[in-house]
Amino acid sequence: MPSGYPDEAFPGYAAPLVVKSHQSGRVACGLAKFGLIPAWAKDNKISRHTYNARSETVTEKPSYRTAWRQRQFGLVLVDDFYEPSYESGKAVRWKIQLASGDPFAIACLWDRWKDPQTGEVLVSFSMLTVNADEHPVMRQFHKPGDEKRTPVVMAPHLHDQWLSANTAQAHALMALTHMPELKAFSAPSTLATRQQMA
């Protein structure tokens, strides 16, 4: 595991990412920026809008489609993540974990971007999301009337399948039926209620 990353990762922060080489089969874990910067981007400002990628449109969106076609599938390692609940009428931060309490991994897309000013190569990622209308835990979050979404929590026995998947297999793996059991509870904070990871 890499070190030197914050306890909670908002968009723009570093988090541990696992990737696999399709040539050598080597698996590696390093720090990557939360918010994908596509290779063609002129600067890194796009990352403010690319921390989540909708599974339904990932093949079409310019920010994601090259990473998708190149099968740049990764797993971001987390202990939990947060979503806003509006049951009280106001946004209250809730923590979501595995029912087991174990650390887990969220499916993502990653890309490399070279800063034209400094020449630095930056690895970044977007979490993949699916509709959560039918999920027993995740359907309770977000504003009333908004579509319910959830990051794709990948069950441990599917980690290597995800990292090794072709695009058809990856689509099939991004399903609620493949997600492990989750639990959620209120965890108010002075921090913003936008989605974050710990």
Side-chain angles (χ1 to χ4, degrees):
M1 284 284 290
S3 59
Y5 56 92
D7 290 340
E8 295 188 355
F10 292 93
Y13 288 34
L17 178 72
V18 176
V19 299
K20 182 176 183 177
S21 168
H22 296 305
Q23 284 74 45
S24 68
R26 177 175 172 264
V27 175
C29 182
L31 295 182
K33 184 174 180 176
F34 185 20
L36 188 143
I37 308 168
W40 49 259
K42 292 186 171 70
D43 55 47
N44 62 8
K45 292 177 183 175
I46 193 172
S47 65
R48 299 172 192 162
H49 310 286
T50 56
Y51 49 89
N52 285 343
R54 294 173 63 91
S55 61
E56 298 88 345
T57 58
V58 72
T59 61
E60 307 156 18
K61 296 290 184 181
S63 296
Y64 309 123
R65 62 189 178 199
T66 299
W68 180 264
R69 288 172 189 159
Q70 293 179 350
R71 302 162 53 215
Q72 290 172 191
F73 305 133
L75 293 165
V76 60
L77 305 179
V78 302
D79 294 313
D80 41 56
F81 64 97
Y82 299 87
E83 295 287 0
S85 170
Y86 287 83
E87 286 185 355
S88 67
K90 293 188 290 186
V92 177
R93 190 174 85 147
W94 277 51
K95 180 184 285 190
I96 297 96
Q97 299 177 326
L98 286 197
S100 65
D102 293 333
F104 58 99
I106 293 172
C108 60
L109 273 182
W110 64 274
D111 209 346
R112 290 187 190 91
W113 174 75
K114 186 174 182 178
D115 188 325
Q117 304 296 322
T118 66
E120 178 190 8
V121 175
L122 186 68
V123 176
S124 59
F125 69 93
S126 293
M127 295 192 303
L128 286 154
T129 70
V130 292
N131 180 278
D133 288 346
E134 302 301 320
H135 192 279
V137 173
M138 299 305 297
R139 65 186 178 194
Q140 66 186 300
F141 299 111
H142 302 292
K143 291 181 181 177
D146 283 1
E147 183 191 7
K148 309 307 179 186
R149 306 289 299 177
T150 180
V152 178
V153 178
M154 196 62 63
H157 71 279
L158 296 174
H159 286 182
D160 190 63
Q161 287 185 49
W162 170 255
L163 294 173
S164 307
N166 60 37
T167 54
Q169 292 165 337
H171 264 303
L173 287 169
M174 291 189 295
L176 296 181
T177 52
H178 292 312
M179 287 175 51
E181 186 180 352
L182 302 177
K183 63 181 179 182
F185 50 92
S186 178
S189 171
T190 56
L191 296 172
T193 56
R194 62 185 169 161
Q195 187 177 64
Q196 56 183 294
M197 298 176 300

